[in-house]
Amino acid sequence: MKHTKFMAALAAGLLFAGVANAAALEQFKVFVGSTKAAKGEFTQKVVAQGGKGKQSSGSFTFARPGKFIWTYTKPYEQVLQADGEQLYIYDKDLNQVTVRKLGDALGSSPAAILFGSNDLEKNFTLSEAGSRDGLEWLKATPKAKDSSFEQILIGLKNGTPEAMELKDSFGQTSILSFKKFEKNPALNAASFKFVMPKGADVINN
């Protein structure tokens, strides 16, 4: 259950035309202002305090504000889907769907950065975090004291997010890498409507 809540916080909001080598904050603001929707693929590694890591991968699609589909395909299948009002977390192996209000699930989470509104500085303190691994890094610190995350780093290149590093209050660090990032693809709003799997157990939070 703790794992599911962590994944929900991570996705629920997990995602620039800028000038190469421009400061991260400048690239990020251009990205937010110019990207109303996007899709792509991701890999994610979660590293616990002991140094052991678990890796997963999948795909994502989002449309601002608050519509997204974050799909894990390996090593297990799980879908986090938001229609702008509700967040659905579907565990295929358990055939179980957890439903919660999107506003409560987003808050000061990474999803608020990638999928939420453009009013980021309302929930986050943004600052430059230097250059590393060929990327310009932006640090986003949640203003809410009860946030699940202590710090979020976003790595950008040529106005596009290529990586995120998230340190949570449980001592875990999640490292996300993005590829095949496509900005403003043609999307149908109906594609974000969640279709309840047949026979699924539903939990409302």
PDB file of all heavy atoms in Angstrom, residues 26 45 54 102 180:
ATOM      1  N   GLU A  26      14.883  29.297 -17.194  1.00  0.00           N
ATOM      2  CA  GLU A  26      14.404  29.891 -18.450  1.00  0.00           C
ATOM      3  C   GLU A  26      13.841  28.816 -19.375  1.00  0.00           C
ATOM      4  O   GLU A  26      12.758  28.969 -19.944  1.00  0.00           O
ATOM      5  CB  GLU A  26      15.553  30.618 -19.151  1.00  0.00           C
ATOM      6  CG  GLU A  26      15.164  31.236 -20.487  1.00  0.00           C
ATOM      7  CD  GLU A  26      16.354  31.845 -21.210  1.00  0.00           C
ATOM      8  OE1 GLU A  26      17.401  32.060 -20.569  1.00  0.00           O
ATOM      9  OE2 GLU A  26      16.240  32.081 -22.435  1.00  0.00           O
ATOM     10  N   LYS A  45      14.116   4.493 -11.840  1.00  0.00           N
ATOM     11  CA  LYS A  45      14.853   3.695 -10.869  1.00  0.00           C
ATOM     12  C   LYS A  45      14.614   4.284  -9.489  1.00  0.00           C
ATOM     13  O   LYS A  45      14.805   5.480  -9.281  1.00  0.00           O
ATOM     14  CB  LYS A  45      16.352   3.675 -11.183  1.00  0.00           C
ATOM     15  CG  LYS A  45      17.155   2.754 -10.274  1.00  0.00           C
ATOM     16  CD  LYS A  45      18.616   2.688 -10.689  1.00  0.00           C
ATOM     17  CE  LYS A  45      19.398   1.726  -9.809  1.00  0.00           C
ATOM     18  NZ  LYS A  45      20.834   1.651 -10.196  1.00  0.00           N
ATOM     19  N   LYS A  54      15.264  -0.472  -7.659  1.00  0.00           N
ATOM     20  CA  LYS A  54      14.280  -1.188  -8.454  1.00  0.00           C
ATOM     21  C   LYS A  54      14.003  -0.367  -9.703  1.00  0.00           C
ATOM     22  O   LYS A  54      13.761   0.838  -9.616  1.00  0.00           O
ATOM     23  CB  LYS A  54      12.986  -1.393  -7.664  1.00  0.00           C
ATOM     24  CG  LYS A  54      13.129  -2.286  -6.447  1.00  0.00           C
ATOM     25  CD  LYS A  54      11.798  -2.457  -5.732  1.00  0.00           C
ATOM     26  CE  LYS A  54      11.935  -3.375  -4.524  1.00  0.00           C
ATOM     27  NZ  LYS A  54      10.637  -3.553  -3.820  1.00  0.00           N
ATOM     28  N   LEU A 102      -8.389  14.373  -7.769  1.00  0.00           N
ATOM     29  CA  LEU A 102      -7.133  14.758  -8.395  1.00  0.00           C
ATOM     30  C   LEU A 102      -6.447  15.874  -7.629  1.00  0.00           C
ATOM     31  O   LEU A 102      -5.231  15.865  -7.459  1.00  0.00           O
ATOM     32  CB  LEU A 102      -7.375  15.189  -9.845  1.00  0.00           C
ATOM     33  CG  LEU A 102      -6.113  15.518 -10.653  1.00  0.00           C
ATOM     34  CD1 LEU A 102      -5.184  14.318 -10.711  1.00  0.00           C
ATOM     35  CD2 LEU A 102      -6.484  15.954 -12.053  1.00  0.00           C
ATOM     36  N   LYS A 180      11.957   9.926 -26.448  1.00  0.00           N
ATOM     37  CA  LYS A 180      10.902  10.044 -27.453  1.00  0.00           C
ATOM     38  C   LYS A 180       9.850  11.068 -27.019  1.00  0.00           C
ATOM     39  O   LYS A 180       8.649  10.864 -27.202  1.00  0.00           O
ATOM     40  CB  LYS A 180      10.256   8.678 -27.735  1.00  0.00           C
ATOM     41  CG  LYS A 180      11.213   7.659 -28.318  1.00  0.00           C
ATOM     42  CD  LYS A 180      10.508   6.347 -28.654  1.00  0.00           C
ATOM     43  CE  LYS A 180      11.497   5.343 -29.247  1.00  0.00           C
ATOM     44  NZ  LYS A 180      10.841   4.047 -29.567  1.00  0.00           N
TER      45      LYS A 180
END
